[in-house]
Amino acid sequence: MTFNEKYKDNALLIKTFNFALNIIYYTTELQEQKKFVITNQLLKSGTSIGANSKESQNAESKADFIHKLKITIKEADETEYWLFLYDAYKEYPNCKELIEQLSEILNKIISTSKMSSTR
């Protein structure tokens, strides 16, 4: 069973998992081009979005769930910053698709946290 099969009914986990994979592919490309300066920062923050989303699924309370999603948003904001830097510095590979994908994830995280806070 794959991650996508196991969590097929959880859009947030699927989106963040696939985003993490795309971050790994992108940072691997950067490393191959010997562009190491902020690659590790992007790899860490970009993959932790999914890890924190996954961790939120085991929250002990609604407040804990929302807290974990807030941490996820912080990681997503950091990732967005690194991607904007890569996008602004034209010698790096195009990352516009990652920025768009991250925007969708942020919207999903925010809507998920709002839904759970009204329950």
Side-chain angles (χ1 to χ4, degrees):
M1 175 176 287
T2 67
F3 188 93
N4 286 335
E5 291 168 341
K6 183 173 183 178
Y7 296 103
K8 67 180 180 273
D9 295 328
N10 190 320
L12 177 60
L13 291 185
I14 295 296
K15 285 180 182 292
T16 58
F17 182 82
N18 291 330
F19 180 75
L21 281 175
N22 289 336
I23 287 291
I24 293 168
Y25 296 138
Y26 185 76
T27 56
T28 299
E29 181 181 348
L30 292 172
Q31 290 172 344
E32 289 170 355
Q33 295 179 14
K34 302 200 181 322
K35 297 186 183 294
F36 300 111
V37 178
I38 54 177
T39 300
N40 287 336
Q41 292 293 119
L42 176 61
L43 180 62
K44 289 176 183 179
S45 65
T47 56
S48 71
I49 296 167
N52 284 305
S53 296
K54 178 81 170 78
E55 187 177 335
S56 74
Q57 304 303 299
N58 297 310
E60 296 174 9
S61 65
K62 184 177 8 174
D64 187 35
F65 177 74
I66 291 170
H67 174 73
K68 289 181 186 331
L69 285 182
K70 286 181 180 180
I71 294 169
T72 304
I73 290 171
K74 287 180 181 182
E75 292 296 330
D77 283 342
E78 180 183 343
T79 301
E80 182 181 60
Y81 176 78
W82 298 125
L83 289 172
F84 282 152
L85 278 176
Y86 280 121
D87 188 50
Y89 192 72
K90 299 303 177 195
E91 292 188 28
Y92 285 95
N94 186 314
C95 64
K96 290 195 185 304
E97 190 174 308
L98 286 170
I99 293 170
E100 290 171 18
Q101 191 178 6
L102 182 58
S103 178
E104 290 176 20
I105 288 169
L106 279 166
N107 289 335
K108 185 64 178 167
I109 293 168
I110 291 166
S111 68
T112 301
S113 64
K114 283 182 180 178
M115 282 185 350
S116 77
S117 65
T118 60
R119 290 183 186 168

